Amino acid sequence: MTKAVVISERTVGLDNPLTIHNYLNLSLYEHARGNTLLALRLMRHAMDLWRVVNSPDHPDLATAHNNIGVMLQALHLYDDALRFFDACVTARERLLGPEHVLVANAQHTLAKAMAITGDFAGAVQAERLAHKFFSSRFGDDDARSKETAEWLAELTFNAVRTAKLTKSAQEKIRDIASSASLAHVDTEGKEPSAPVKGSLPIDDLLKFITGSSSGPKPKPGRRARGPKGSRR
């Protein structure tokens, strides 16, 4: 694969479509070998070249978006992968129209990617579109129709269950917040009780500990004289 890239660069040029396709193939090869980070760098280089020599709406770029999504999923970067699967669907719909088998395939892939991230509502919408196309175009007995039907049923079940759990959690949060608010009102509504010593102001607490009175303290001055004016 690497030799094919080198030969095409030297014979037909760096920006030739053949060279770009060789880069895309080399990227898939490295991903299959487990070198996913290298594969992503090769894919990035190929896409940069493709944007220079062709339109950004080329079908091959949509395929590249799908492959990048698969590679990012292998690295457990599911949210980032979802962006590329969505870009693949958008590009294919714009180029091929909504009623196309490649669009339906991309929608099916997008639905599974959404399910991984927990967006079951969005996954149901994408899977419903894919199943509708396969069922109407190829019939209910087609393998793709059966597969999307199974996925649609499972995604719908998970979407309903997630919605119920979310609603139940929200209700519990509201109940807890309401209880805390009532407790706060009851506490504030009570008459203030006599303060214990631990709640006295600092000055009063010091007086209580030392046993000093609240009267005026004697001012410092000369020593008191004894009888007949003698000093003690």
Side-chain angles (χ1 to χ4, degrees):
M1 287 292 182
T2 305
K3 290 183 178 180
V5 171
V6 174
I7 292 173
S8 60
E9 283 182 342
R10 293 178 180 178
T11 55
V12 297
L14 298 174
D15 56 353
N16 189 276
L18 177 61
T19 303
I20 298 173
H21 276 286
N22 285 336
Y23 268 114
L24 293 174
N25 292 333
L26 178 61
S27 174
L28 296 176
Y29 174 73
E30 292 295 343
H31 171 63
R33 293 182 60 198
N35 301 325
T36 303
L37 290 177
L38 175 59
L40 286 170
R41 288 196 291 268
L42 293 169
M43 188 70 71
R44 171 71 179 274
H45 180 68
M47 292 182 65
D48 289 342
L49 290 175
W50 198 259
R51 289 190 181 97
V52 173
V53 299
N54 286 293
S55 169
D57 289 336
H58 196 278
D60 286 345
L61 280 182
T63 303
H65 284 145
N66 179 82
N67 293 336
I68 291 174
V70 173
M71 295 176 188
L72 291 173
Q73 280 187 336
L75 297 175
H76 306 290
L77 300 174
Y78 301 114
D79 291 331
D80 294 328
L82 186 60
R83 294 168 48 202
F84 285 92
F85 288 129
D86 186 59
C88 177
V89 172
T90 302
R92 286 181 175 175
E93 284 182 343
R94 184 170 58 250
L95 294 170
L96 307 172
E99 298 295 325
H100 196 280
V101 64
L102 292 180
V103 175
N105 287 333
Q107 288 168 341
H108 178 53
T109 303
L110 176 62
K112 292 189 287 186
M114 286 180 169
I116 294 176
T117 61
D119 184 8
F120 292 107
V124 168
Q125 294 180 1
E127 193 67 33
R128 184 179 289 118
L129 292 174
H131 175 66
K132 180 180 178 181
F133 173 82
F134 288 129
S135 179
S136 61
R137 181 65 61 89
F138 303 106
D140 294 334
D141 293 332
D142 185 79
R144 290 164 291 187
S145 300
K146 293 180 179 179
E147 180 182 359
T148 52
E150 292 176 357
W151 272 92
L152 182 58
E154 183 67 23
L155 292 172
T156 302
F157 172 78
N158 283 282
V160 173
R161 183 177 62 177
T162 302
K164 289 182 178 179
L165 291 175
T166 303
K167 183 178 179 181
S168 177
Q170 290 175 348
E171 290 176 352
K172 288 182 179 179
I173 292 173
R174 284 196 297 266
D175 292 341
I176 294 172
S178 178
S179 300
S181 177
L182 290 174
H184 185 65
V185 170
D186 291 344
T187 302
E188 291 183 347
K190 292 181 179 179
E191 295 183 0
S193 58
V196 296
K197 292 298 184 288
S199 63
L200 290 172
I202 297 298
D203 294 338
D204 295 340
L205 187 60
L206 288 174
K207 291 177 183 178
F208 173 77
I209 294 173
T210 59
S212 60
S213 62
S214 59
K217 295 181 180 180
K219 296 181 179 181
R222 295 181 180 180
R223 293 183 179 179
R225 293 178 182 273
K228 297 181 183 181
S230 62
R231 292 180 180 273
R232 293 181 179 179

